[in-house]
């Protein structure tokens, strides 16, 4: 045995000498890589090197650095790496990364697509610092290198790389993406093993690649099925996948040179997930877990992926893995909040509460502890309705993290929701106005006042501490969000000077907070100072480029371009793309971008942008789902829009279950849109259920309460509708649509005096709402008060000159009164302001018909169809005109076209049925009957006992239409305090003078020569 051992040692020594000689000979002679002698000597060194130390193989690999990249040098380096990884008994520092490469670099590496194209750096992995090393660029000190590398790596290079890295990050921060990439690539030429530069470059390329997703609709054509088993994916599948990806190339180079960098593996997985390659992401997450099976960041990201795919048990197992490890630093707020949110989704509220409280004391930083306190406070408020306990927990967050702006903002919002909770219990089953606790100001104003008081105290404390220079005692989470929130409330109350002052104070305390300058731009935009808005948006971008500021700037360019009437489409698209680079998870960005493309007629691109936003898992996902649903609705895809809204509500409910957020209000629009969609589809019961669920989740929302009231009106439950209308207007007295809808319901029920009071209350609260003036004037005309109606129409036109239906209704009134010239003037003004409303052309045609100008009727209707091709009523009117002329075929085609435009337009069915009956077309009548039966309820003429009872109640109440005003309405009328006196307003108006003025300014669009 000793003889065998001696022989083995002698052979190893001989191999070492031969290997050293070969390497020394080739390096001294500087023989070309193409030289056959060099190839032979290198192969000898490789063969003998299999029994040598890791140091010798490192020397061989260094020798084969790609001065000249070809298949031979790649093969030599690859085989050397493979052999180094199989050395038994070698120093762990020499082979640790080689063992990773054994699984990652197979022998056929030369056949990979990247290497064939010469697009990857063929540097060999070196020993990187441990994953537990502190995350700073000083980690160069702790990197273990081979002796050969240490001789060539000077201390000056370390500081040079550190400086270059900071410059690259500054370039990235200021939006200089290309220069940042070039700078990082320059660093990697100096040190190919710098993991920070690899990670920064790959992430930057990933962001640029995700931005490019919005430019093509075929981006996801190569995506794998999310259900594909992870073992079906190999590393070669990812590397060789097409199309070519610079981000994937950068991640590949990073993992090759820094194989132990768990952060590069995780970032690569997140990139593949963001572009829809779910199976690739799973594989890469697993590779990261092979390095550290309990890394909290990897487990959290991997768990989120599984959760989004519906694998909730797998997600919980991944999230709990670091928590159960017991290792220091493994418990993070993100993990705790994710587990708690899932428990809440499963209805395990008590268990979630205990879980939060058990782990909040184990947080490593004050920021993370405050985060958990915020989560458990939301749980107490949302699910246990314990506002006092929620306030205690938020104060606990401030104890561990003094002046934490997130906690202070949450306390302010809690104070506002307390106002809601106090009133919500009072008005569920009874009239709100009959309550003794009714306040003169509405709930919205009192809610905002409560929030403002909290914010004012918090902001004043911040300013005092700033003046005393005690900022070193502040929390890790301090920014200008408190000043921002306070200023926003002042803007809602039209207190623009107060908002400017608040933001100015915030900018003094937080000079590097870009959001304060963005908010200042919003204030200037509200007051019409677009130059000032551009100034503040530019200042914000100079402080720090951000997606919200860019979106605000772009919308300003779209709505109020500097030169001309049209915005620069190319410039706007470029700015949107820049914003996507800055923050690919900013929901309003996708909404604004998609809406712009939709208005430009680029439907497929708009749809792809919205879908990319959903795929990106935006923080504000409600705005993305809402935008996509509105796009589908605009195309007539009602069922698709309904499914999108339902999916959006589910996603928002998951997001809102774990934490309070100022984005929660945006979810109201999803519920409102879905409810109104159901209501317009004659599904009143379904709409009512949606609105009620929304009210339960979001409290006193004036929009949802109005929707619930309209649902009750549709169902015939007027008493319940009145209660909901009262609640809606008392949440926000300035909600003009609620006043108008309530007044219209009372008017249709014959309660004219009640409707009059409601219309006047609405106008006093918002005198710029044209529909209120129109409804009030229409009611007075029906009651025979023609002069009052004309005065109301005139006042409405002066207050709301852009509300076209006002001109239409007034023209109809003048037409019925025989004032044809006045009617013609008014409808001409309506068409001058908006030609795409079919009803204006109908009124114009009716005027010419009454004047006896029958030749103009056809011309006007045809001109109207050119401007309003989707008006079924215009098709029907022109068809009846042709029918009277005996043009049956033309009339039939027009009616068929009208039904294509609007399949629910019942008058078109009636007109077509009359036409077929006139020519005795029995077969046509039969087909039309079947067609109508598919659209309308076939039992509509056979009412149920319930509907008969509702009709009876309505008829009985009509007999009381001239009774006394209900106490609730009279109380409400007395509460309204406004500067506008409607009676004085209409008494001072001369409608004839106004019409004469309009006729002088009018561009006669009804001139026969112009039609």
């Amino acid at each position: 045995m000793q003889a065998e051992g001696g022989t083995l040692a002698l052979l190893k020594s001989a191999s070492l000498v031969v290997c050293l000689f070969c390497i020394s000979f080739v390096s001294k002679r500087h023989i070309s890589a193409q030289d056959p002698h060099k190839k032979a000597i290198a192969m000898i060194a490789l063969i003998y090197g299999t029994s040598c130390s890791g140091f010798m193989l490192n020397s061989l690999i260094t020798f084969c650095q790609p001065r000249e990249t070809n298949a031979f040098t790649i093969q030599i380096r690859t085989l050397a790496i493979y052999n180094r990884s199989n050395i038994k008994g070698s120093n762990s520092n020499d082979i640790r990364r080689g063992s990773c490469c054994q699984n990652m670099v197979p022998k056929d590496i030369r056949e990979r697509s990247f290497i064939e194209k010469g697009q990857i750096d063929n540097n060999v992995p070196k020993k990187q610092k441990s994953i537990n090393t502190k995350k700073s660029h000083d980690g160069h000190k702790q990197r273990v290198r081979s002796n050969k590398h240490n001789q060539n790596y000077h201390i000056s290079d370390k500081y040079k790389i550190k400086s270059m890295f900071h410059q690259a990050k500054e370039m990235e921060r200021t939006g200089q993406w290309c220069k940042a990439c070039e700078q990082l690539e320059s660093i990697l030429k100096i040190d190919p093993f710098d993991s920070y530069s690899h990670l920064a470059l790959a992430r930057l390329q990933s962001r640029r690649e995700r931005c490019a997703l919005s430019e093509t609709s075929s981006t996801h054509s190569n995506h794998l099925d999310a259900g594909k088993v992870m073992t079906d994916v190999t590393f070669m599948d990812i590397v060789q996948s097409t199309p070519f990806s610079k981000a994937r190339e950068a991640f590949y180079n990073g993992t090759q040179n820094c194989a132990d960098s768990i952060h590069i593996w995780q970032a690569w997985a997140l990139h593949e997930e963001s572009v829809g390659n779910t199976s690739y992401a799973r594989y890469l997450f697993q590779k990261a877990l092979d390095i550290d099976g309990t890394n909290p960041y990897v487990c959290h990201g991997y768990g989120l992926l599984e959760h989004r795919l519906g694998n909730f048990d797998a997600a919980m197992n991944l999230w709990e893995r670091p928590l159960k490890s017991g290792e220091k630093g493994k418990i993070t707020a993100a993990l705790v909040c994710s587990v708690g949110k899932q428990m809440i989704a499963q209805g395990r509220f008590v268990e979630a509460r205990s879980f939060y409280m058990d782990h909040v004391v184990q947080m490593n930083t004050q920021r993370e502890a405050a985060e958990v306190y915020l989560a458990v406070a939301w749980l107490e408020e949302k699910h246990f309705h314990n506002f006092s306990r929620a306030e205690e927990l938020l104060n606990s967050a401030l104890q561990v993290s003094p002046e934490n702006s997130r906690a202070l903002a949450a306390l302010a919002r809690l104070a506002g929701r307390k106002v809601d909770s106090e009133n919500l219990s009072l008005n569920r089953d009874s009239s709100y106005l009959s309550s003794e606790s009714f306040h003169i100001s509405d709930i919205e104003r009192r809610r905002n006042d409560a929030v403002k008081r909290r914010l004012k105290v918090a902001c004043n404390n911040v300013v005092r501490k700033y003046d005393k220079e005690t900022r070193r005692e502040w929390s890790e989470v301090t920014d200008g969000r408190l000043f921002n929130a306070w200023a926003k409330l002042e803007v809602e109350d039209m207190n623009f000077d107060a908002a400017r002052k608040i933001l100015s104070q915030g900018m003094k305390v937080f000079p590097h907070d870009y959001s304060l300058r963005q908010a200042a731009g919003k204030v200037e935009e509200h007051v019409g100072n677009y130059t000032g808005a551009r100034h503040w948006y530019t200042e914000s971008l100079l402080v720090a480029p951000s997606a919200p500021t860019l979106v605000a700037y772009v919308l300003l360019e779209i709505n109020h371009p500097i030169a001309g009437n049209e915005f620069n489409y190319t410039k706007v698209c470029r700015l949107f793309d820049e914003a996507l680079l800055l923050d690919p998870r900013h929901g309003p960005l996708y909404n604004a971008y998609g809406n712009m493309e939709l208005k430009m007629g680029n439907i497929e691109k708009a749809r792809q942008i919205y879908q990319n936003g959903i795929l990106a898992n935006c923080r504000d996902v409600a705005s993305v789902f809402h935008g996509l649903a509105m796009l589908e609705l605009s195309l007539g895809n009602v069922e698709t829009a309904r499914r999108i809204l339902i999916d959006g509500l589910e996603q928002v409910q998951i997001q809102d279950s774990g934490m309070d957020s100022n984005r929660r209000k945006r979810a109201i629009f999803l519920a409102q849109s879905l409810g109104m969609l159901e209501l317009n589809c004659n599904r009143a019961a379904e709409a009512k259920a949606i609105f009620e669920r929304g009210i339960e989740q979001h409290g006193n929302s004036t929009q949802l309460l109005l929707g619930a009231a309209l649902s009750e009106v549709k169902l015939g439950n007027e008493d319940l509708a009145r209660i909901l209308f009262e609640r809606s207007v008392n949440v926000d007295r300035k909600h003009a649509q609620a006043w108008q809808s309530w007044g219209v319901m009372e008017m249709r029920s014959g309660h004219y005096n009640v409707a009059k009071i409601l219309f006047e209350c609405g106008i006093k609260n918002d005198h710029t709402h044209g529909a209120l003036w129109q409804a009030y004037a229409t009611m007075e005309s029906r009651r025979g008060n023609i002069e009052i109606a004309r005065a109301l129409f005139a006042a409405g036109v002066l207050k709301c000159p852009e509300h076209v239906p006002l001109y239409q209704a007034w023209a109809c009134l003048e037409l019925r009164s025989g004032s044809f010239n006045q009617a013609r003037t008014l409808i001409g003004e309506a068409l001058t302001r908006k030609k795409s409303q079919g009803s204006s052309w109908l009124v114009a045609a009716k005027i010419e018909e009454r004047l006896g100008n029958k030749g103009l009727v056809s011309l006007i209707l045809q001109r109207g169809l050119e401007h309003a091709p989707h008006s079924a009523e215009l098709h029907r009117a022109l068809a009846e005109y042709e029918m009277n002329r005996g043009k049956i075929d033309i009339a039939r085609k027009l009616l068929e076209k009208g039904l294509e435009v609007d399949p629910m337009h019942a008058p078109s069915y009636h007109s077509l049925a009359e036409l077929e009956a006139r020519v005795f077309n029995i077969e046509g009548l039969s087909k039309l009957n079947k067609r109508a039966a598919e659209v309308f309820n076939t039992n509509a003429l056979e009412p149920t006992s319930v509907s008969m009872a509702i009709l009876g109640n309505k008829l009985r109440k009509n007999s009381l239409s001239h009774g006394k005003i209900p106490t609730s309405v009279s109380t409400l009328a007395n509460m309204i305090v406004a500067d506008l006196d409607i009676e004085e307003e209409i008494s001072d108006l001369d409608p004839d003078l106004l019409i004469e003025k309009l006729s002088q300014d009018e561009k006669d669009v009804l001139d026969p020569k112009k039609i």
Side-chain angles (χ1 to χ4, degrees), residues 211 214-215 547 550-556 558 567 569-583 588-597 605 609:
C211 171
S214 61
E215 298 177 3
L550 272 175
V551 171
Y553 188 89
V554 172
L555 291 178
L556 181 62
I558 292 173
F567 63 90
Y569 174 77
T570 304
K571 176 183 177 182
V572 164
C573 289
R574 182 174 58 81
L575 291 173
F576 273 130
D577 291 339
E578 290 286 335
L580 283 172
L581 280 170
L582 287 165
D583 187 358
L589 165 58
Y590 292 95
N591 193 20
Y593 198 175
N595 190 38
M596 185 270 293
E597 292 292 354
K605 186 175 181 180
I609 290 170

Side-chain angles (χ1 to χ4, degrees), residues 85 115 170 188 288 326 386 413 503 563 595 640 651 719 870 966 970:
S85 67
I115 295 179
E170 181 64 21
L188 293 174
N386 191 343
R413 290 194 296 269
L503 292 171
N595 190 38
T640 303
Q651 290 294 324
D719 288 337
H870 300 295
S970 60

